[in-house]
Amino acid sequence: MNEIKVFKMINGEEIISEVFNQFADYFELKNPATIMLQQTQSGGMGVGIAPYMPYATDNIKLYKGAIA
C-alpha cells in the first residue's frame, strides 16, 4: 500500500508525493509536487501546487540526507 507524505527539504522547499517505495538511503516518489504560497487576487495568501520535476518520466529518488 502506497502512502502520501509531505517532505520539508533542507533548502526550504516542501514536497507532497505518493511514496512508491522506501529504501535505507532514499524514498522513491511517484508524481511529486511542490507546495508553495502565492498571493491571491484579493491580496491574501493561498496555497499552490506545481509539479516538482515536470520533465522527469520515471519515479524520483529523494535521498534522506536532503530532508530536514
Side-chain angles (χ1 to χ4, degrees):
M1 181 172 149
N2 299 344
E3 349 174 63
I4 304 294
K5 288 193 176 196
V6 176
F7 299 97
K8 177 78 170 186
M9 309 298 290
I10 58 175
N11 65 359
E13 289 181 311
E14 293 180 334
I15 299 172
I16 186 168
S17 179
E18 178 181 352
V19 177
F20 184 72
N21 213 341
Q22 182 175 350
F23 298 95
D25 295 337
Y26 64 90
F27 293 98
E28 189 173 358
L29 304 181
K30 183 177 181 180
N31 299 324
T34 301
I35 302 170
M36 62 184 117
L37 293 175
Q38 52 185 202
Q39 192 169 6
T40 62
Q41 291 179 349
S42 63
M45 294 299 288
V47 177
I49 296 178
Y52 180 61
M53 296 181 76
Y55 300 111
T57 56
D58 293 332
N59 293 341
I60 295 171
K61 292 181 183 178
L62 179 62
Y63 286 91
K64 292 181 178 179
I67 301 170

